[in-house]
């Protein structure tokens, strides 16, 4: 058998679902208003959600934090850094990483240098050149 898409990925990568605050509040209200466990289960199956979603969203609602119901990773309310500032931050992190690597390299190079000096001192003391 041959695959329908030779040489490529057989299926596109799935996209993560995102939920608006309004949707979350509506579902939590509907879930809490369900008359029995069968009704609550039907809501979860229909919306393809887990009970953990409801628990998390209910806790955020009860805390009175509508802002906690927004996904801060993709929210349009999340302020974006200007491109230059983002680039500067990226370069600062790279400089810090490179400075750490240079410090490690210098420490590693210092060890053989000390060994050479020690061997030179030992050879000189065997020759009788030092008091």
């Amino acid at each position: 058998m041959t695959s329908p898409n030779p040489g490529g990925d057989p299926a596109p990568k799935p996209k993560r679902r995102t939920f608006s605050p309004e949707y979350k509040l509506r579902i939590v209200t509907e879930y809490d208003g369900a008359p029995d466990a069968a009704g609550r289960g039907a809501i979860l199956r229909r919306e393809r959600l887990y009970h953990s979603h409801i628990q998390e969203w209910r806790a955020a609602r009860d805390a009175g934090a509508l802002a906690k119901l927004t996904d801060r990773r993709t929210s349009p309310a999340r302020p974006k850094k200007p491109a230059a500032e983002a680039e500067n931050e990226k370069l600062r992190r790279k400089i810090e990483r490179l400075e750490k690597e240079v410090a490690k390299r210098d420490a590693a190079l210092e060890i053989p240098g000390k060994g050479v000096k020690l061997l030179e001192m030992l050879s000189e003391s065997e020759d009788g050149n030092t008091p």
Side-chain angles (χ1 to χ4, degrees):
M1 291 184 83
T2 60
S3 65
N5 189 3
D9 194 17
K13 187 174 180 178
K15 188 173 189 285
R16 183 178 292 248
R17 291 172 52 188
T18 57
F19 306 101
S20 70
E22 296 79 18
Y23 173 80
K24 294 175 183 181
L25 290 173
R26 182 177 58 80
I27 294 299
V28 168
T29 304
E30 183 180 352
Y31 185 86
D32 290 342
D36 58 359
R40 291 189 292 272
I43 293 169
L44 293 177
R45 284 189 299 277
R46 179 190 75 214
E47 299 295 328
R48 291 194 270 151
L49 297 172
Y50 294 99
H51 181 67
S52 59
H53 286 111
I54 303 297
Q55 289 174 325
E56 179 183 333
W57 298 346
R58 185 185 296 132
R61 180 202 61 195
D62 292 347
L66 183 63
K68 284 189 177 183
L69 290 178
T70 59
D71 186 355
R72 288 182 292 282
R73 296 171 298 173
T74 59
S75 172
R78 181 179 181 189
K80 289 200 171 197
K81 294 180 184 177
E85 187 178 329
E87 182 68 18
N88 284 342
E89 188 174 314
K90 180 181 173 184
L91 291 173
R92 279 190 204 104
R93 286 193 305 265
K94 185 174 182 178
I95 288 171
E96 288 175 10
R97 180 180 54 81
L98 292 173
E99 285 175 345
K100 287 179 185 177
E101 288 180 13
V102 167
K104 283 182 188 177
R105 191 173 302 123
D106 288 347
L109 290 174
E110 189 175 313
I111 293 171
K114 288 181 179 179
V116 168
K117 286 182 184 177
L118 179 64
L119 290 173
E120 288 173 353
M121 288 174 42
L122 287 174
S123 68
E124 287 176 4
S125 65
E126 289 177 355
D127 294 339
N129 294 341
T130 57

